[in-house]
Amino acid sequence: MTNVAVGDMSPELSGAASGVFNTTRQLGQALGTAAVGALLQATLHHTLTDEALRRSAGLPTAHRQEFVDSFEAVGDSGLFAQAPGNTGTAGAAGQQMQQLSTEVFNHGFVSAMRWTLLLPLGFAVLAALCCLGIRNHRAAAAPTALMNRPADTPVEGTSP
């Protein structure tokens, strides 16, 4: 990739071209990481809430809303101040909520990651298509140079 970026540059400009290429690459990595993180956070909020709603049906009616609210709070803030679903409920209901919260997080996170991975995959496909469009200008110029040479001039790399 570096050869494509700086290959046609004159020696005086190759250092500057390399610097611009490396800066652009690092900026792309930082923006890509931020975009994937933001998409994961947004997707995680929705998948955790949906999964909590679906799995809370097995809880006693009195604990369903607090269970779902604990996952909504995590999605809204993006922080795990306490384990979602761990509302301090004791006894069998507390153990059931703890088990369900583990299941909600595992399934919600995996589901969110599936959708989030589509973003870098899309960019990889786009980059591959762009690479197909890169032409080798030196190879294209060689046949033209051979056609325009005088007939008695030897071709480079052959003996007379």
Side-chain angles (χ1 to χ4, degrees), residues 23-45:
T23 300
T24 304
R25 186 174 47 104
Q26 290 176 2
L27 182 63
Q29 288 173 346
L31 291 176
T33 301
V36 168
L39 181 61
L40 177 61
Q41 178 62 34
T43 308
L44 193 59
H45 172 69

Side-chain angles (χ1 to χ4, degrees), residues 4 39 44 55 86 91 95 111 114 140-141 146-147 155:
V4 172
L39 181 61
L44 193 59
R55 293 185 184 262
N86 185 11
Q95 288 178 341
S111 179
R114 283 185 193 137
L146 287 176
M147 290 173 46
V155 177

Side-chain angles (χ1 to χ4, degrees), residues 98-112:
Q98 193 64 30
Q99 176 66 28
L100 283 178
S101 66
T102 301
E103 292 174 12
V104 167
F105 183 78
N106 289 342
H107 289 278
F109 187 79
V110 169
S111 179

Side-chain angles (χ1 to χ4, degrees), residues 10-94:
S10 65
E12 297 84 28
L13 295 177
S14 63
S18 177
V20 169
F21 171 72
N22 285 328
T23 300
T24 304
R25 186 174 47 104
Q26 290 176 2
L27 182 63
Q29 288 173 346
L31 291 176
T33 301
V36 168
L39 181 61
L40 177 61
Q41 178 62 34
T43 308
L44 193 59
H45 172 69
H46 292 292
T47 59
L48 286 177
T49 303
D50 291 345
E51 195 70 25
L53 280 169
R54 191 173 65 78
R55 293 185 184 262
S56 67
L59 289 173
T61 309
H63 298 295
R64 286 181 191 163
Q65 191 58 46
E66 68 179 315
F67 181 76
V68 173
D69 288 346
S70 68
F71 280 96
E72 284 182 356
V74 166
D76 289 340
S77 69
L79 300 173
F80 288 92
Q82 70 172 12
N86 185 11
T87 57
T89 305

